[in-house]
Amino acid sequence: MHMKKRFIDWTLNRPRQSIGLAVVMSLILVSGIWFLHIEDDIMKMLPEDIPSRIVWSEIEEQFGSTEPLLVSIGREGHSIFSAEGLAAVWDLTRTLEELPTVDDVRSLATMNRIDSDEGFLEVGDLMPYRDLKLEEIADIQDYLDRNSDIGGMLVSEDEFFAMLAVVPTINASDKELVQAVNEALGDNKEDENGHIGGLPFVRGILIKSVLWEIITLMCIAVPVLALILLINLRSPRGLRMVLPVIGLSVGTMLGFFCWMYKLTGSDLFNFSLVNGSMGVILLTIATADSVHIMTRFFREMRQRKDVKASVAATMDVLMLPVFLTSVTTMAGFISLVSSPLRTMIGYGITVSFGIAWAWYLSVTFLPSLMSISKWDLESRALQSVGTFERIIHRIGQYVLHKPRTVLVSAGLVVVIACIGIYMVRVEVNIINFFKPTTPIRQSMEFIDNHFYGTLNFAFKVEGDLKEPEVLKGMQRIQRQLEHEPTVGNTVSLANIIAKLHRAVMDDSAQYEIIPDSREKVANLLTLYSMSGDPDDFSSMVDYDYQTGLINATVKMSATEELIAMVDRIHNFVDTHKSPALNISLSGFPVFVRDFIQELIVSSLRSIGLSLILVMILAGIFFKSLRWGLVAVIPLSSAIALNFGLMGWLGIELSHVTALFTAIIIGVGVDFAVHYIAQYRNFLKSGVRRDEVSQITIDDVGYPILLNVAAVSVGFTALLFSEFVPLNYMGGLVIISMISCAIGTLTLMAAVIHLMRTRLSA
């Protein structure tokens, strides 16, 4: 208590020093934003020790990137098999090959053709030069018709468009690659005849697009939030004090995040898609603290008519509750350090710091500002209660008049909502994060519809890859893959060997099979090396022919479909094991499956640890385990209500929307602790137990209702985002705020009122 008094005295007696110190320290931390490091690779979010990531790293180390950037050019209604069309493919290929971020370009202009010449292999360029004659174009078209699996990769089924697969260099920046390719497309892109797809494309523009979307929508949400606060606080001066606390809190948190990356270089502080929600979460928490303090100050001013005395009384009452809410909320976020997803560890540390800084500003900067401001004692805010205050009084009367009815009704709503938990769908395929009307989604769907697909499924194969049985085993897996409706095409060394065999057998299609002896396989490779470059196979097999790669092109689909496909293929591989052939799965569909498992484990672990920590800390602070159990009522009911409503409303769980539980933890703890702290304060001051619940609801309910209204209305802006998870995030923020308020002012208030004789002060 002595420390609290000294703290309050310092902010009141030296307000300018308090304000100056807070502003200078905040700006120093905010300056760290210059060191923001964006990470758009979903792989970096996965634990390093899971099998799919280990296999992927091994594949990239041996074979380079297996995720090409896909570029389509052509014109609807005009055959690509024309002198003009093929010349355009040639020119774009040569332009792309010159880019420093490009390792290789696979297109009609770089592809080899394998022909038979009296029993010998003749390997040459499919397009030997840029300007072709009509008979040369017809010959190319005929070759691709006879080799439809190859033709389907490079030419659309309607033959209007050609595909160029741009293989990036290892560690190339997706952002720089996409930017360079866009510039290379030039007029084709402007005429809507050029399309880009593939995961490098999505990653290259995703973070930037979402960041700008968040910034734009927040520029709408914050003014709306401010307007709602202004209408209900009825004090422009009060609003001008609350907004800097919110702004400095969010800015300082982001600056701290960037400083941590600058000082440690740790990938825990890479800014990924998930981190975009940190500002949203802290904004809700900082708003709650500021609104509680400001509304309490107005109440004290109506009675005392003295600014410093009112500020001192406000902080005397709220210093401890604000501290308790900050500590318990920080504990909830710190629990994220147990997450298997590395990005969540840095997320938890950063938001915890942001909460601590919001607390510091709320108990120093804000009261100091309040104490030096010239308040109009005749203003409506300081003379009369507002509309929300009258509404909350009536809510309290109803809840406390029929506590059992309220308890049963609220409990029934939660139970019904819980049924929806079984209907929650998980969606972590970043392609489906965009609405169908967005250019990104349309471009990806264009390539999906005209070619074999935009996603990659990779299999690492280990064995003697000149042995026919091993090659036939690879073919079995490829045939199984090609039976999957979402798989467009598969490629491996086995395809090449079969085509070489066909070529030496007078190009007879019936001989497009694996030869029956190792010697014949070796002879085919030797024949190829006589007129072709053995390095042509370096993206499929290593130098010793002991490790190979099967690549499958997969069309975009829902997460559930991708997981089901991966599970079927995994089961097929397991049931067709061979001592001579070892198969390891990787690629985007496998990452999706593994990521979901990690996401669910991380979410459940975070929720469980948060509830336990909040219960323990509340029990310690309030010196009673019963109070600790009561404190988690709003949290647990709100979490159940939100997950249930997600199922009922069809809101998908992703690595973005999963973080809404963090909002519940932050807001739910704030509401519950403030309510309990004030309830106990009133008991200690001598208020009768039969009256204390109504007085507490009147006192705490107003800032809770005001906070809910301001944040909920402000965040309706997110509902208009082109980014689907932001739509869901906006809806979930609103649902979270409302459910936490309901959990506090109905469920918890009713429980406390019914147990009033058994709960200590």
Side-chain angles (χ1 to χ4, degrees):
M1 297 297 290
H2 180 66
M3 180 65 72
K4 181 174 75 170
K5 186 177 184 306
R6 290 180 61 184
F7 207 78
I8 294 172
D9 288 344
W10 181 69
T11 59
L12 294 180
N13 296 330
R14 298 184 178 181
R16 287 175 174 77
Q17 183 178 339
S18 171
I19 293 168
L21 182 63
V23 170
V24 170
M25 292 174 64
S26 295
L27 292 178
I28 290 173
L29 287 166
V30 168
S31 67
I33 291 176
W34 293 108
F35 305 119
L36 178 69
H37 181 263
I38 295 176
E39 179 53 70
D40 48 22
D41 190 353
I42 190 175
M43 280 292 296
K44 300 291 178 63
M45 297 178 66
L46 293 172
E48 295 180 354
D49 58 350
I50 65 171
S52 60
R53 180 164 183 182
I54 294 172
V55 172
W56 186 256
S57 298
E58 292 172 351
I59 288 173
E60 288 207 321
E61 185 178 341
Q62 286 186 289
F63 303 107
S65 176
T66 60
E67 283 185 345
L69 181 73
L70 306 176
V71 180
S72 165
I73 63 168
R75 185 175 297 176
E76 192 74 42
H78 295 76
S79 175
I80 197 68
F81 291 111
S82 64
E84 180 186 1
L86 292 178
V89 173
W90 178 280
D91 292 340
L92 182 58
T93 299
R94 302 308 168 211
T95 300
L96 294 175
E97 285 177 328
E98 296 299 318
L99 299 177
T101 53
V102 173
D103 182 54
D104 187 24
V105 180
R106 299 164 189 164
S107 72
L108 293 172
T110 60
M111 185 182 135
N112 287 337
R113 62 182 293 168
I114 304 171
D115 295 299
S116 174
D117 184 13
E118 297 182 357
F120 289 91
L121 291 177
E122 183 176 323
V123 181
D125 296 326
L126 181 68
M127 276 185 68
Y129 34 80
R130 179 183 186 275
D131 300 311
L132 300 171
K133 298 176 182 177
L134 289 178
E135 57 269 24
E136 292 173 320
I137 294 173
D139 183 52
I140 291 174
Q141 192 170 4
D142 175 66
Y143 180 82
L144 293 177
D145 287 341
R146 287 184 284 111
N147 295 273
S148 57
D149 55 339
I150 298 174
M153 289 190 292
L154 300 175
V155 180
S156 63
E157 188 176 354
D158 56 19
E159 297 185 349
F160 295 153
F161 301 93
M163 169 73 76
L164 293 80
V166 182
V167 181
T169 57
I170 295 296
N171 299 322
S173 164
D174 290 323
K175 177 183 174 182
E176 293 176 3
L177 176 66
V178 171
Q179 184 177 346
V181 170
N182 263 321
E183 292 174 359
L185 273 173
D187 294 337
N188 280 307
K189 189 72 174 174
E190 292 175 8
D191 297 339
E192 298 185 356
N193 296 318
H195 296 271
I196 305 178
L199 283 179
F201 168 61
V202 177
R203 292 196 305 257
I205 63 175
L206 178 63
I207 297 294
K208 181 180 177 181
S209 300
V210 174
L211 272 178
W212 278 112
E213 188 88 357
I214 290 174
I215 291 170
T216 302
L217 293 172
M218 289 292 280
C219 288
I220 299 172
V222 172
V224 173
L225 181 150
L227 179 62
I228 299 299
L229 287 176
L230 177 61
I231 292 171
N232 289 280
L233 287 174
R234 299 172 297 162
S235 170
R237 188 181 299 275
L239 178 64
R240 288 198 300 269
M241 295 178 189
V242 169
L243 291 182
V245 174
I246 298 171
L248 286 175
S249 297
V250 174
T252 300
M253 178 194 66
L254 296 176
F256 168 82
F257 180 82
C258 300
W259 273 116
M260 290 299 290
Y261 175 78
K262 173 67 175 177
L263 297 175
T264 67
S266 172
D267 61 352
L268 297 177
F269 301 99
N270 286 331
F271 193 93
S272 67
L273 183 60
V274 169
N275 300 100
S277 64
M278 292 191 303
V280 175
I281 289 171
L282 190 64
L283 187 147
T284 62
I285 296 169
T287 301
D289 286 343
S290 302
V291 166
H292 274 291
I293 291 172
M294 188 58 66
T295 54
R296 181 73 192 196
F297 169 72
F298 287 169
R299 186 172 302 219
E300 294 291 342
M301 280 287 286
R302 290 171 198 155
Q303 297 175 2
R304 300 174 187 273
K305 307 297 182 182
D306 181 270
V307 175
K308 283 199 172 183
S310 297
V311 173
T314 298
M315 298 315 298
D316 184 60
V317 171
L318 293 182
M319 179 76 78
L320 182 60
V322 171
F323 175 74
L324 297 186
T325 59
S326 299
V327 171
T328 49
T329 308
M330 287 170 62
F333 281 98
I334 285 293
S335 68
L336 291 176
V337 299
S338 66
S339 172
L341 303 176
R342 288 185 58 78
T343 188
M344 297 306 298
I345 299 173
Y347 189 104
I349 294 170
T350 302
V351 176
S352 295
F353 176 84
I355 294 167
W357 200 259
W359 169 82
Y360 170 72
L361 293 175
S362 297
V363 299
T364 58
F365 177 79
L366 181 57
S368 295
L369 271 180
M370 291 158 58
S371 69
I372 63 173
S373 295
K374 297 185 182 299
W375 295 92
D376 180 6
L377 298 179
E378 301 302 319
S379 66
R380 285 194 305 154
L382 302 181
Q383 284 290 324
S384 60
V385 297
T387 303
F388 274 13
E389 290 172 280
R390 290 190 289 270
I391 292 173
I392 202 64
H393 181 75
R394 292 174 183 172
I395 291 174
Q397 285 180 322
Y398 181 80
V399 170
L400 301 177
H401 180 63
K402 297 182 178 180
R404 287 182 174 81
T405 302
V406 170
L407 189 60
V408 172
S409 301
L412 187 61
V413 169
V414 172
V415 170
I416 293 173
C418 283
I419 299 172
I421 293 175
Y422 297 98
M423 295 183 278
V424 174
R425 293 178 63 250
V426 180
E427 183 59 78
V428 296
N429 187 347
I430 56 179
I431 309 301
N432 294 331
F433 286 179
F434 297 94
K435 291 181 179 178
T437 55
T438 58
I440 299 172
R441 179 79 174 264
Q442 289 176 341
S443 189
M444 293 287 284
E445 287 181 344
F446 177 90
I447 293 177
D448 245 10
N449 294 334
H450 287 77
F451 298 93
Y452 282 143
T454 52
L455 307 178
N456 188 62
F457 198 173
F459 296 74
K460 182 183 177 183
V461 181
E462 293 174 299
D464 184 352
L465 299 191
K466 293 182 180 179
E467 184 62 47
E469 287 307 311
V470 171
L471 294 169
K472 290 176 182 178
M474 294 168 65
Q475 281 190 325
R476 280 194 295 272
I477 293 171
Q478 290 179 251
R479 282 195 291 269
Q480 182 65 27
L481 279 165
E482 288 165 0
H483 284 143
E484 293 288 339
T486 55
V487 174
N489 185 49
T490 65
V491 179
S492 76
L493 179 66
N495 298 75
I496 302 300
I497 297 300
K499 288 192 177 298
L500 293 177
H501 190 224
R502 170 180 172 170
V504 298
M505 302 301 288
D506 296 325
D507 200 31
S508 174
Q510 70 182 41
Y511 288 104
E512 193 168 327
I513 57 175
I514 303 297
D516 56 10
S517 71
R518 190 180 190 283
E519 289 72 24
K520 289 182 179 179
V521 172
N523 287 338
L524 289 173
L525 293 170
T526 301
L527 286 172
Y528 184 91
S529 66
M530 290 179 180
S531 58
D533 187 349
D535 285 344
D536 290 342
F537 307 144
S538 62
S539 62
M540 299 181 192
V541 65
D542 68 352
Y543 180 80
D544 296 322
Y545 285 80
Q546 294 300 307
T547 303
L549 192 63
I550 299 174
N551 272 315
T553 306
V554 182
K555 293 182 180 292
M556 294 187 299
S557 55
T559 295
E560 291 177 353
E561 295 175 13
L562 286 176
I563 293 173
M565 179 195 70
V566 171
D567 288 340
R568 285 193 296 270
I569 297 301
H570 204 284
N571 291 335
F572 180 84
V573 170
D574 284 344
T575 55
H576 292 78
K577 283 183 177 178
S578 166
L581 180 63
N582 183 47
I583 304 287
S584 302
L585 281 67
S586 192
F588 185 76
V590 188
F591 301 153
V592 167
R593 183 195 62 178
D594 291 348
F595 188 72
I596 280 184
Q597 293 172 351
E598 300 294 343
L599 177 67
I600 293 172
V601 169
S602 177
S603 297
L604 292 176
R605 184 180 296 172
S606 174
I607 291 170
L609 282 175
S610 297
L611 290 174
I612 292 170
L613 286 171
V614 168
M615 182 178 65
I616 292 172
L617 289 172
I620 291 172
F621 287 135
F622 297 129
K623 301 176 182 178
S624 169
L625 181 59
R626 285 182 180 176
W627 281 121
L629 291 169
V630 168
V632 298
I633 289 176
L635 278 176
S636 52
S637 61
I639 289 170
L641 190 63
N642 275 259
F643 274 108
L645 288 176
M646 284 182 71
W648 284 112
L649 299 176
I651 296 176
E652 296 161 338
L653 181 67
S654 70
H655 46 298
V656 179
T657 56
L659 292 169
F660 83 92
T661 54
I663 297 175
I664 298 175
I665 292 166
V667 176
V669 168
D670 185 278
F671 292 174
V673 170
H674 274 290
Y675 188 98
I676 293 171
Q678 286 303 90
Y679 184 93
R680 295 175 79 248
N681 283 340
F682 286 131
L683 278 181
K684 289 176 182 178
S685 66
V687 177
R688 292 175 56 242
R689 288 183 180 272
D690 289 339
E691 300 173 355
V692 68
S693 291
Q694 180 66 63
I695 295 174
T696 304
I697 290 177
D698 289 347
D699 187 85
V700 178
Y702 170 53
I704 288 177
L705 200 60
L706 176 54
N707 192 24
V708 170
V711 174
S712 298
V713 174
F715 277 91
T716 55
L718 295 183
L719 299 176
F720 301 98
S721 171
E722 292 294 326
F723 189 56
V724 176
L726 284 184
N727 297 156
Y728 292 159
M729 178 64 81
L732 289 171
V733 167
I734 296 169
I735 294 171
S736 299
M737 297 294 293
I738 294 172
S739 59
C740 287
I742 291 173
T744 302
L745 299 176
T746 59
L747 270 175
M748 193 179 79
V751 168
I752 291 175
H753 188 64
L754 291 171
M755 295 177 62
R756 59 190 179 275
T757 59
R758 285 174 284 175
L759 292 170
S760 63

